[in-house]
Amino acid sequence: MSHLSHADELYLDANATSPVLPAAIAAALDAMGGRFGNPSSSHAAGLRAKQILDDTRARARRVLGGGPGRVLFTSGATEGIQTAVLSALCAIRERRAAGDTCGDLLLYGATEHKAVSESLAHWNRLLGTGLTLQALPVDADGRHRLDILRELAPRAALVCTMAANNETGVISDLDGIACTLREHGPRAYWIVDCVQALGKLPLDLAATRIDYAPFSGHKLYAPKGIGMLYVRDGAPYTPLMIGGGQEAGQRSGTENMAGIAALGAVLAELEQGTAFRSHAAMAAMRDRLAAALADAFPGIVFNAPLAQALPTTLNFAVPGLASKDLLDLFDAAGLRVSAGSACSAAKAAPSYVLAAMGLPLWRSSGAVRLSFGPTDGDDFIDEACARIRRCGQALRAPLLAPSPLSGAAHGLLQVSAEGRHGWIAFDLDAGVGVAIDPPLALAPRIAALVGARGLRVAAVLGTGSDPEGAAARAALRAALGQAPADPGPLGWPGDAAAIAIGARVLARLASSGTRMAYLLDAADGSGIAFTGDADGVQLARPAALLCHGVDLDGQAFRALDVAATEASAAHLASADLAAFLQAHADALLVDVREQPEADAGACHLHGRSALNLPLSRLAEHLAQLLATPERPLVFVCRSGNRSARAALALRRAGHPQAWTLAGGIALAQ
């Protein structure tokens, strides 16, 4: 089963969600068609629907090894977790009300999904149980610290762990946890999040000590909105929803029959054992992907030991590369991966899972997760490996390259991180460059960029005397093998009047003591100024462009030869792009993705090949783009974020025909 849902797409984010199995789609359509009845109805249509319900429950019981335990259908794992937590806490409250000191701790693994810790806090507060929430630490491999569990188990009323982690794929030592609880916390209830285990790990729940196990259908080829909850025979149960008494009074509300039928089809495939790969086969496929990654990215670090992880999951980081850079690169090659949990990736924060493992910040903030499904085949993995290696080759292409427009050997590269902007002015023919306001986080990467081109860095300059700027300059000098201390005020070399960068000259302008501005002469004689903020210092010489070291309304530079404007980016919907290009034959399609992304996957839309002009090189080409204000410019990127910044910069500089493709290439293909 290939996951090429678009013409050139390989889906490698199966831990977030999965495509729906064709047999599951057919089963859902059958449930919505010929067997559409309500399973609570006693007539023939209802009985046909009830057969789906009964067959799927029986199959689930067999696949899970549920024995006499309950199996009920939910809307997904979050509902299952909520129900399990509510059931356990209600039982604990009853025990305590009867004078039973059954423990005062709600223990949860430090790497659990946030649905667990948030659910514990929510119901503990609403039920007034007054228990103490405490995270159970994990070791450097991501496994629960059983030594600490032994200490805390006598006080535990409820313990929550997971079968396998959704970010790292680390498989929990459930046997070790069970043994510890039997010996030191025999009365504690135990919830195990089994979302990532279905189809990847053997399950025999009735033979374990597990009280509650939630599952989610959409993680394994069923649609979103359907899940299961296993409840051990004899474990306390309190319904989360009461009403019409469906699910034998365990979960009221008319059942999601299409979802249940689809889940039943997936479980049937699991039972038959023909469509799903064996653990050994999946592990071999993962090892091939790991080898391709190691070939593509020298220095790569895998954030979890493969021997203790799911055979379908890889979590890694590459020194000097942010997760966003890697995601953009993979996406350009048609590889869909993620930066971690889909539920928290949008927050752009370091992974709390990797932080709990004690990994350094560069690994927890730069992590990428690659995950495939148990139906993927060898041809799928072959193509994925080939594209991964192509990404590595693209990444080795130098960013300090001749101008995409003029071909000139000199240029100006913007380097940005965490709302701060730096600049590298360079001349490839002269073999020299100057760094201005380098962001601290990018010091190793900047050193690698100039090293790849064999450039001599004549100076590392700052426009302000803030501590972070000084630390950044020191870090970059150290990475370049230079003395870390500034040779002069804000890095300016002694009493030099100017620094030659090939045929161009960088001049120091009058400073205020704690701030300084610099001016790089341009071909038209107007110059490019650098300052720490938008106001900067008074420029003694004319400049067409002001590049600043801090982010101002999403911009790193602004034109100075036009009146300030509140212009906003003009958005062009992907559905309107073809007509727009047809109506404007002279329109220039500008791909502002970085060079490695364009090398990994060139942009062709509606018969037009886009000019690759990376956003990081836009400042140096602003004057050229403004020279033809009558020519429409349509900026594109992966998602529309970078192209919006480019269009906004052009609009504010006075170009009336600058547009951004809303939704980016992702929605236009």
Side-chain angles (χ1 to χ4, degrees):
M1 176 180 174
S2 176
H3 295 166
L4 297 173
S5 57
H6 287 273
D8 198 35
E9 180 175 84
L10 295 181
Y11 187 77
L12 288 163
D13 196 19
N15 284 13
T17 194
S18 58
V20 180
L21 202 68
I25 296 174
L29 290 174
D30 177 55
M32 291 186 291
R35 294 199 279 177
F36 68 90
N38 189 323
S40 295
S41 299
S42 59
H43 47 61
L47 293 176
R48 287 193 295 270
K50 189 173 186 300
Q51 184 182 19
I52 296 175
L53 197 64
D54 293 342
D55 289 349
T56 303
R57 197 186 316 277
R59 183 169 287 120
R61 199 181 299 279
R62 293 193 299 270
V63 169
L64 303 182
R70 312 184 199 200
V71 175
L72 59 142
F73 298 111
T74 65
S75 62
T78 298
E79 183 190 330
I81 291 167
Q82 296 274 335
T83 305
V85 168
L86 173 65
S87 298
L89 289 187
C90 284
I92 292 167
R93 185 173 65 169
E94 291 175 4
R95 284 182 179 180
R96 292 166 69 87
D100 183 349
T101 55
C102 55
D104 64 332
L105 292 182
L106 300 177
L107 283 179
Y108 62 95
T111 57
E112 299 303 300
H113 193 285
K114 289 297 184 182
V116 172
S117 57
E118 294 295 326
S119 179
L120 288 171
H122 175 73
W123 289 110
N124 187 45
R125 182 177 64 254
L126 287 186
L127 295 175
T129 45
L131 301 172
T132 299
L133 272 71
Q134 185 159 335
L136 176 63
V138 297
D139 60 22
D141 290 341
R143 290 189 132 191
H144 303 92
R145 291 277 303 275
L146 297 185
D147 56 335
I148 296 180
L149 179 59
R150 278 191 291 272
E151 296 175 8
L152 297 176
R155 294 178 53 199
L158 171 63
V159 176
C160 300
T161 61
M162 59 199 330
N165 188 266
N166 53 306
E167 288 192 31
T168 63
V170 169
I171 300 170
S172 299
D173 181 4
L174 295 183
D175 290 339
I177 295 171
C179 181
T180 302
L181 291 180
R182 276 195 300 268
E183 294 179 8
H184 302 280
R187 303 192 64 210
Y189 297 116
W190 188 19
I191 300 174
V192 177
D193 174 354
C194 286
V195 167
Q196 295 296 336
L198 189 63
K200 304 166 191 175
L201 295 175
L203 294 169
D204 190 8
L205 295 178
T208 72
R209 190 198 176 285
I210 297 170
D211 294 300
Y212 309 93
F215 295 86
S216 179
H218 77 97
K219 306 292 186 178
L220 194 76
Y221 306 124
K224 298 169 184 66
I226 185 64
M228 301 180 290
L229 176 64
Y230 161 82
V231 182
R232 181 181 56 80
D233 185 39
Y237 183 81
T238 297
L240 181 66
M241 293 186 288
I242 291 293
Q246 289 87 351
E247 290 288 276
Q250 300 171 105
R251 196 265 190 185
S252 292
T254 302
E255 294 88 348
N256 173 8
M257 293 307 301
I260 291 170
L263 179 59
V266 174
L267 294 172
E269 295 282 2
L270 269 177
E271 241 189 330
Q272 293 164 8
T274 55
F276 284 50
R277 299 279 173 162
S278 69
H279 189 282
M282 290 187 289
M285 294 160 72
R286 179 198 60 190
D287 291 346
R288 289 167 55 202
L289 290 169
L293 288 167
D295 289 344
F297 307 108
I300 189 174
V301 177
F302 292 99
N303 289 323
L306 301 189
Q308 295 179 6
L310 290 173
T312 55
T313 305
L314 290 164
N315 189 295
F316 60 90
V318 178
L321 287 177
S323 58
K324 182 185 181 303
D325 296 329
L326 286 166
L327 261 61
D328 287 342
L329 181 64
F330 281 123
D331 212 60
L335 297 169
R336 309 305 180 219
V337 301
S338 72
S341 169
C343 301
S344 59
K347 299 178 182 178
S351 165
Y352 71 90
V353 170
L354 300 180
M357 294 166 60
L359 300 187
L361 181 60
W362 73 268
R363 288 171 66 178
S364 63
S365 62
V368 171
R369 181 186 68 188
L370 182 155
S371 52
F372 61 94
T375 64
D376 287 320
D378 289 330
D379 55 344
F380 177 88
I381 299 300
D382 286 342
E383 179 62 20
C385 288
R387 294 193 193 187
I388 288 170
R389 290 187 169 93
R390 193 170 82 209
C391 285
Q393 293 171 352
L395 194 62
R396 286 187 277 276
L399 294 185
L400 299 176
S403 164
L405 289 182
S406 68
H410 59 73
L412 180 66
L413 179 73
Q414 175 187 331
V415 286
S416 303
E418 300 173 352
R420 298 177 72 100
H421 306 292
W423 307 88
I424 303 174
F426 64 93
D427 189 297
L428 298 176
D429 288 343
V432 66
V434 171
I436 304 171
D437 285 330
L440 179 59
L442 297 184
R445 187 178 183 191
I446 294 172
L449 290 176
V450 297
R453 277 298 196 176
L455 299 183
R456 175 181 63 87
V457 178
V460 179
L461 307 177
T463 60
S465 59
D466 61 296
E468 183 174 342
R473 294 194 300 277
L476 179 53
R477 285 197 184 89
L480 293 168
Q482 302 177 3
D486 282 344
L490 298 176
W492 189 263
D495 297 327
I499 301 173
I501 308 175
R504 297 183 300 166
V505 172
L506 182 72
R508 181 180 67 172
L509 302 183
S511 69
S512 63
T514 59
R515 294 162 65 193
M516 190 178 294
Y518 308 93
L519 188 72
L520 180 70
D521 64 351
D524 60 3
S526 59
I528 299 174
F530 302 89
T531 183
D533 55 43
D535 295 327
V537 298
Q538 292 297 317
L539 300 178
R541 292 165 55 188
L545 187 68
L546 182 65
C547 298
H548 39 85
V550 295
D551 193 88
L552 295 169
D553 194 21
Q555 298 294 302
F557 60 87
R558 66 181 177 89
L560 294 177
D561 55 0
V562 296
T565 175
E566 295 300 321
S568 58
H571 292 264
L572 183 64
S574 58
D576 300 328
L577 178 60
F580 184 91
L581 294 177
Q582 186 174 7
H584 300 85
D586 63 333
L588 180 63
L589 200 60
V590 184
D591 175 8
V592 296
R593 297 178 302 162
E594 294 305 310
Q595 184 69 48
E597 295 174 69
D599 289 346
C603 176
H604 304 282
L605 297 174
H606 302 291
R608 298 271 192 104
S609 294
L611 167 72
N612 180 226
L613 178 56
L615 184 64
S616 61
R617 300 290 295 274
L618 186 63
E620 81 177 82
H621 296 102
L622 188 65
Q624 290 171 273
L625 295 174
L626 291 173
T628 54
E630 71 284 351
R631 185 181 191 183
L633 302 174
V634 181
F635 293 98
V636 301
C637 67
R638 181 179 69 88
S639 65
N641 291 329
R642 286 173 287 178
S643 61
R645 293 201 296 273
L648 178 60
L650 266 293
R651 288 269 176 172
R652 288 183 173 176
H655 198 300
Q657 291 290 323
W659 302 81
T660 176
L661 180 63
I665 299 170
L667 299 186
Q669 293 178 329

